Every structure is written in C-alpha cells, then in structure tokens.
Amino acid sequence: KRMCPYRCFDTEDDMSNWAPTPKYMIAEGDVYWGAPNEEDMEYSQLAVNYLKLDRVPLYNQSWDPIINALRAGDFFGTTGEILFHNWSIEGTGANRTYDATIEYTFPLDFAELVWGNGKTVGRKIISLTDTTAFGTRTFKIPFDGTGKKWVRFAVWDSAGDGAWAQPIQLK
C-alpha cells in the first residue's frame, strides 16, 4: 500500500512526537548495477524531493533558498507519478482544514492525513479508488487540531507509488 511504511514513515512520526518540532523525511534513491559487464543496466527505486522556491538559484549564487526550504519543510517527496501543486493548513483549533492539490498519472488508491499529539499517532484514510488515470485532485480535509502537535499528508496510487508532504507543526 505504501513505500517504506515502518522504517520510514512510522519512524518519522515517532520522532515528530518525541521532538519539540516535527522531523522531515528527505527522499533518496537506491541505485545499483544489475550484473557485471552489463552496460547501461542501472536499476533504481527512486524518490525525489521537490522544493517550494520562488526561483532556482543559478549555480554561482547562494544556496540559501534551497537550505531554507529544506529547514522549513517546504518540500515534498515523490516517486514522480504524483505531484503536489500546493499544500497548507487553514483555520485554528477544532476548525482546521488540510488543503492540497495534486496531479497524478495512475488511478489513486488512497490519501492519508496523519497526526501526532506528542504521544500517539492517528490517521484518517480517504479512499480514492473511484479515480481514473491522468488527473488532478483538490483536497480540503477538515480535522480537529485540538491537542495535535503536527499533521502530515500523503497520497498513494494503485501501483504503490506516492507523494508525501512534510509534517506541519500546529500551534
């Protein structure tokens, strides 16, 4: 259903509960060679990061915008088949809404809103099995933020591919 549910997402959720601020998960790719003497036979399970930036700095400019986006959690991870166009939280207290707009390739399977209160982790699963290939979707998911420390959002497709936004600290 999800990539790396225990070693990655469950660990991120636990660490976000333990720490004063949520922890972010940087996507990475595992690349290896198929066999000796095989040319151009790289295999990978690749996930990448997309950063929210006003513009990409030139090679000879400061990397501060990139570092600041990573430190602020203004990025999402994806295998590429699902892309976030935007994500945010609106409202306060018991009347909050997680807003996100995505674009996707394969039919979707489910989305999940995940939160922690400093001790436990909860989640709301939204079935998306009624979707077809190649679409966009806007989510406006109401949730009660009372007592919650952080919240994150992820979307998974029928092929097991996904995209996940970084946890947002609730105040």
Side-chain angles (χ1 to χ4, degrees):
K1 291 276 184 189
R2 306 174 181 84
M3 290 175 50
C4 200
Y6 307 109
R7 190 181 69 182
C8 302
F9 290 104
D10 286 358
T11 301
E12 177 190 30
D13 296 341
D14 286 343
M15 290 190 313
S16 292
N17 268 341
W18 302 334
T21 58
K23 299 302 166 194
Y24 307 134
M25 185 166 53
I26 296 175
E28 56 86 24
D30 292 330
V31 179
Y32 57 93
W33 287 97
N37 303 322
E38 290 184 9
E39 294 182 29
D40 299 323
M41 292 296 292
E42 281 189 18
Y43 297 93
S44 67
Q45 179 174 349
L46 185 63
V48 297
N49 302 290
Y50 281 78
L51 284 66
K52 277 187 185 178
L53 297 173
D54 293 332
R55 64 179 184 78
V56 177
L58 295 174
Y59 73 95
N60 60 351
Q61 293 177 328
S62 171
W63 284 52
D64 283 348
I66 293 169
I67 301 301
N68 293 339
L70 289 169
R71 284 184 177 151
D74 288 338
F75 67 100
F76 69 92
T78 182
T79 54
E81 297 82 4
I82 301 170
L83 300 175
F84 279 88
H85 287 272
N86 60 59
W87 64 96
S88 65
I89 294 177
E90 294 181 5
T92 60
N95 299 312
R96 294 191 182 229
T97 304
Y98 197 100
D99 298 333
T101 301
I102 63 159
E103 174 183 356
Y104 58 91
T105 303
F106 299 122
L108 299 175
D109 191 12
F110 66 98
E112 58 184 342
L113 190 67
V114 182
W115 59 83
N117 63 11
K119 294 181 182 176
T120 61
V121 174
R123 71 183 67 237
K124 178 179 186 176
I125 303 288
I126 299 141
S127 176
L128 300 171
T129 56
D130 61 340
T131 59
T132 58
F134 299 104
T136 59
R137 180 94 178 222
T138 297
F139 296 90
K140 292 196 175 290
I141 306 165
F143 70 97
D144 182 350
T146 307
K148 293 179 177 64
K149 182 178 171 185
W150 55 267
V151 64
R152 69 175 176 82
F153 184 64
V155 183
W156 302 95
D157 70 18
S158 58
D161 306 308
W164 57 93
Q166 302 306 316
I168 297 173
Q169 185 169 8
L170 300 177
K171 296 176 184 176

